[in-house]
Structure formats: C-alpha cells, structure tokens
Amino acid sequence: ALIVIATQNAMLRPWVNFEWAYALGTGAKVIVIKTEETDLPEPLKAIQGSDEPYDPNDWDRLINVLQNHRDETWTQYWIPAETPMIIRCALEGLMATDDEIELNGFAAILAKHRDNNSVVSLIGALECPDLIGRAKAAWALGPIQDDRAVIPLIKALEDTDNPVVVAHAAGALGHIGHNKAIPKLSELLSDSSIFSSLARQPYRQDTVSNQAFMALNLIGTPEALAAVEKWKRENGIKGV
C-alpha cells in the first residue's frame, strides 16, 4: 500500500506523482490523505473518499484501513516472487489443505530443501489473518530448524487466545532447540489449554502444557531439563 500525503506542494513534485502512478499501475492500494485543500490529479480523484479532507490525527482509522487491506491481500503477497516453484507449491499447499498426509508431505518438502524463501514466508505467515494458517506456519518451521525463526516463534507463544498456535509454536521451538525459548516454554508448563490438530480433527486433542513439556525435553540442555524438573517438583509429579 502507498499513502499519498496530498498537499499543494506535494502535487507539484514530479517524483511524488511518479510514485503514486507507479503504485496504481502495479495494483497496489493507494490511500490519499489530504492535509489541506488542493486539486488532485484525475486518477487520485477516482479513489473513493480522496476528496474528503483526512484528519492526520485519525491514526486509528488509517491503521484499520491498512489492516483490512493486509488481511484481504495477504495470500497474494506472502511468498516472495523469486521463490523456486517446488517451494512455492509446498507453501501454498500447506495453507490450502486440511489433510494430514498432505500436510506432512508439504512440510517434508520444506524441511528437505530448507530454502531461504520458505523461512521468510513462514515467519511472515506467523502473523497471517487465519489462526490455522498461523499454526501451520509455526508447525512447519520446526523441521526446517532455522534459528531465524526462534524470536518470531517466541512471539507467537503470546497468542494466548489461540491455543493451537501456541502449541505448535512450542513444538517448533523444541525441534529448533534454542535456549532462548526456555523461559517462555517453562511458563507454558502450567497452561492446561486444549487444542485440536491442524487437520481439523477435534478428536485429536492435546494440551499446551504437554507440548511445552515435550519441547523442553527435545531441547535437552541442562537449563531446559532443570526447568522440567523444577515444574515436576512444584507439582508433585514423579516418574514422568
């Protein structure tokens, strides 16, 4: 999206006009903010609402427009244009299917190739509009085992309204095996939220706490195992 700050002075600038014209030509969303009365070029006049002065302090309205646009167009732009075809097909297939065999197949392709575009796309998909999409992205990042995903996955653990996202982010962090994830995973040991499988099979359920428990054991460092033992002592659990 491109935001045009339309002032009398700006509309006389060749590069300002070049930029909005180029954006319109590529199909990008153009938002016109008039901070003062000025004549707009004909293409900008055609944009709905562009003739109404826009309150520059009305940030909530602007943010809402941008968020809605992001949600509507996310699927068009989340994969970089230069992505190899096999990776693009695997990423698109991952988001399109609810079949367990297909999900595992697409994830296996992404894990085998470990393409940079896979990592970039899936990290971006951790913020996609659909919660199952976010969960799939988290789940698929685990087998790829790229450290760049650690911080975004830790952030995904804060999506507490959606246990399926949290659980699969925890599982992915276990596969990647980075100590930075230990503090947040330790907190999740007490999270008894229930989530269903990615394949949308409600009879296959687990708890977030169990995913955190397994993730810490997968990480397996002294710090991770100490967090597990501490939780077991505090909860009187033996032999787990």
Side-chain angles (χ1 to χ4, degrees):
L2 178 77
I3 300 171
V4 181
I5 310 298
T7 65
Q8 293 182 30
N9 193 41
M11 292 297 95
L12 296 175
R13 300 289 180 178
W15 278 102
V16 171
N17 288 287
F18 170 80
E19 287 167 359
W20 64 252
Y22 180 83
L24 284 176
T26 62
K29 185 175 183 64
V30 175
I31 300 167
V32 180
I33 297 179
K34 290 178 67 174
T35 58
E36 61 187 43
E37 286 301 327
T38 184
D39 291 330
L40 296 175
E42 289 301 323
L44 294 187
K45 287 181 180 178
I47 297 174
Q48 185 175 8
S50 63
D51 284 332
E52 300 177 9
Y54 200 114
D55 181 356
N57 295 312
D58 193 0
W59 298 113
D60 288 341
R61 179 183 167 200
L62 177 60
I63 290 169
N64 186 57
V65 169
L66 290 170
Q67 287 178 335
N68 288 338
H69 176 63
R70 177 200 62 188
D71 293 350
E72 292 168 0
T73 61
W74 182 84
T75 55
Q76 299 176 33
Y77 302 108
W78 74 288
I79 303 174
E82 68 275 11
T83 302
M85 186 55 65
I86 188 172
I87 302 301
R88 176 177 292 277
C89 289
L91 289 167
E92 291 177 346
L94 181 77
M95 291 299 173
T97 187
D98 291 330
D99 181 85
E100 185 174 6
I101 294 175
E102 291 179 353
L103 283 169
N104 287 326
F106 292 131
I109 291 171
L110 297 173
K112 177 182 179 180
H113 290 274
R114 287 183 167 81
D115 184 84
N116 177 66
N117 293 296
S118 299
V119 178
V120 170
S121 298
L122 291 170
I123 287 175
L126 291 173
E127 298 185 10
C128 83
D130 177 58
L131 76 91
I132 295 297
R134 297 198 296 277
K136 288 177 179 179
W139 174 71
L141 280 166
I144 296 175
Q145 296 182 322
D146 191 302
D147 284 351
R148 287 175 294 174
V150 171
I151 299 302
L153 284 168
I154 292 173
K155 183 180 178 183
L157 296 179
E158 299 173 2
D159 195 356
T160 52
D161 291 335
N162 299 298
V164 65
V165 177
V166 175
H168 287 293
L173 287 165
H175 283 290
I176 296 172
H178 201 293
N179 275 352
K180 280 186 178 179
I182 293 174
K184 195 65 180 178
L185 290 172
S186 300
E187 293 177 17
L188 293 178
L189 288 172
S190 300
D191 190 331
S192 58
S193 302
I194 297 173
F195 70 96
S196 298
S197 73
L198 285 175
R200 302 181 192 263
Q201 299 164 324
Y203 57 86
R204 293 187 56 189
Q205 297 182 332
D206 200 351
T207 61
V208 170
S209 59
N210 191 45
Q211 289 295 304
F213 179 85
M214 291 190 293
L216 287 165
N217 278 285
L218 273 175
I219 293 173
T221 62
E223 294 88 348
L225 297 178
V228 171
E229 291 303 317
K230 180 175 181 290
W231 173 76
K232 288 163 63 175
R233 286 195 307 271
E234 291 175 348
N235 291 273
I237 299 173
K238 299 180 181 180
V240 178

